[in-house]
Amino acid sequence: MPAQQKKIVFCIAGVLSFACALGTAAAVGTQLWVKGTVLCKTGALLVNATGQELEKFIGKIQYGLFYGERVRQCGLGGRPFQFSFFPDLLKIIPASIHVSVILFCTVLIVFALVGAGFFMFNAFGSPYETLHGPVGLYLWSFIACSCGCLIMILFSSEVKIHHLSEKIANFKEGSFTFKTHSEQFANSFWIILVCSLVHFLNTLLIRLAGFEFPFSKSKDSGAITGAADLMY
């Protein structure tokens, strides 16, 4: 590929990587990771509510990585309640998984910025060997993509397997029991998915620029060296 086209490809990859870093940082600070509704099971059983009557006992909940809000509905109107994961919910949530999600979000932002910088460096500068060259570009993109996948896996397990929404809904509830009625991932979660796909796309753009995948030539060179040794 001509040098001018390589610069354009690297510029596109750098801009995409920088946009992912900004998008991830914005997603981390919002409460738009999960949206859902919770049913006041105790209240509905007390009055034997069915059909449209159940709507009076269905509240709303939405939360992110640091804070959220739920609307408590037990037949007497909605009562909003703001909560924070740190330190309010630290005892009832799977703290190790939750902290790991935040940690991987930080790593994703850092390596997305590092990748953006090196893409621009390779576009307008003179790339060094190893980590400054194509091998480094593959490495930064791979780490960022892997972190995005880990974030989605860990957060999904926290929500679905550990029933995070129900734990939040039943926080400081003595006599009433709440059950998840509906639950879906919101915008910030899908931003992480898009960022992971973008970093995977960046590895294809590096290949499109004419660089081989890392270590792809080492096997061939090893085979040639081995054959040469046999000859002697």
Side-chain angles (χ1 to χ4, degrees), residues 102-169:
I102 297 173
L103 178 62
F104 281 119
C105 284
T106 304
V107 175
L108 174 57
I109 295 171
V110 170
F111 278 96
L113 290 174
V114 170
F118 279 110
F119 274 119
M120 291 302 179
F121 182 82
N122 278 269
F124 299 104
S126 299
Y128 295 166
E129 295 293 332
T130 63
L131 295 182
H132 290 267
V135 176
L137 296 180
Y138 282 118
L139 179 62
W140 313 134
S141 299
F142 174 77
I143 292 175
C145 181
S146 300
C147 287
C149 294
L150 287 173
I151 290 168
M152 291 185 294
I153 292 172
L154 291 174
F155 189 74
S156 299
S157 67
E158 185 180 9
V159 173
K160 299 298 183 180
I161 298 177
H162 294 274
H163 307 289
L164 184 60
S165 298
E166 283 191 10
K167 291 181 178 179
I168 294 173

Side-chain angles (χ1 to χ4, degrees), residues 40 42 70 72 74 168-178:
C40 181
T42 305
R70 67 183 175 95
R72 185 176 183 272
C74 286
I168 294 173
N170 289 284
F171 176 63
K172 289 186 177 180
E173 291 291 343
S175 56
F176 288 91
T177 302
F178 290 85

Side-chain angles (χ1 to χ4, degrees), residues 186-207:
N187 298 340
S188 295
F189 180 85
W190 300 120
I191 287 175
I192 302 299
L193 173 61
V194 172
C195 289
S196 301
L197 294 176
V198 166
H199 289 297
F200 178 76
L201 175 64
N202 281 348
T203 60
L204 299 181
L205 289 177
I206 301 169
R207 182 65 185 88

Side-chain angles (χ1 to χ4, degrees), residues 27-39:
V28 170
T30 69
Q31 60 180 15
L32 300 177
W33 283 71
V34 174
K35 286 184 176 180
T37 57
V38 289
L39 172 66

